[in-house]
Amino acid sequence: QVQLVESGGGLVQAGGSLRLSCAASGRTFSRDAMGWFRQAPGKEREFVAAISWSIGKTYYADYQDSVKGRFTISRDNAKNTVYLQMNSLKPEDTAVYYCAAGRRYTTTMIEEYDYWGQGTQVTVSS
């Protein structure tokens, strides 16, 4: 089992920044990939970014109006914590942000992530 706890969400004005944290505990060695997803009201959960614990490589969503270039995922292995630095926030970034643990950091598929945190709300005002 892997336990994940997100923190760092809140209310921010458009153009501002937030840093989300995801603290992992338990059998973290069993899952190499850590991903961030988000779900806006009335929308499906979508992939944001992922990182490999072991090699530190990252993978970002690349769809239209995605977060690439504005968000940065990183990890601190000593603290078993993954971060999502979010800059130049837009109102459309408003969502509940979830971290998740899986086996492959290159996948965007929700089904391939086995463990999920409870989510943290990010609200961007215009």
Side-chain angles (χ1 to χ4, degrees), residues 25-38:
S25 60
R27 296 171 60 87
T28 56
F29 57 85
S30 67
R31 296 294 184 273
D32 186 60
M34 290 292 292
W36 284 99
F37 291 76
R38 66 184 182 184

Side-chain angles (χ1 to χ4, degrees), residues 27-70:
R27 296 171 60 87
T28 56
F29 57 85
S30 67
R31 296 294 184 273
D32 186 60
M34 290 292 292
W36 284 99
F37 291 76
R38 66 184 182 184
Q39 187 165 17
K43 295 189 176 182
E44 294 186 351
R45 193 170 298 188
E46 64 181 10
F47 173 79
V48 175
I51 191 167
S52 163
W53 280 119
S54 60
I55 61 176
K57 285 196 172 182
T58 59
Y59 189 67
Y60 291 91
D62 198 20
Y63 44 80
Q64 188 176 11
D65 296 331
S66 72
V67 303
K68 202 170 185 180
R70 299 189 294 122

Side-chain angles (χ1 to χ4, degrees), residues 62-109:
D62 198 20
Y63 44 80
Q64 188 176 11
D65 296 331
S66 72
V67 303
K68 202 170 185 180
R70 299 189 294 122
F71 291 9
T72 302
I73 189 171
S74 62
R75 96 277 196 229
D76 184 332
N77 289 53
K79 295 182 179 180
N80 278 351
T81 300
V82 173
Y83 304 98
L84 186 68
Q85 178 67 43
M86 307 186 293
N87 298 329
S88 302
L89 283 162
K90 306 175 182 179
E92 48 265 44
D93 293 319
T94 295
V96 177
Y97 284 72
Y98 299 89
C99 71
R103 297 182 187 275
R104 296 191 301 124
Y105 75 97
T106 53
T107 182
T108 65
M109 297 178 65

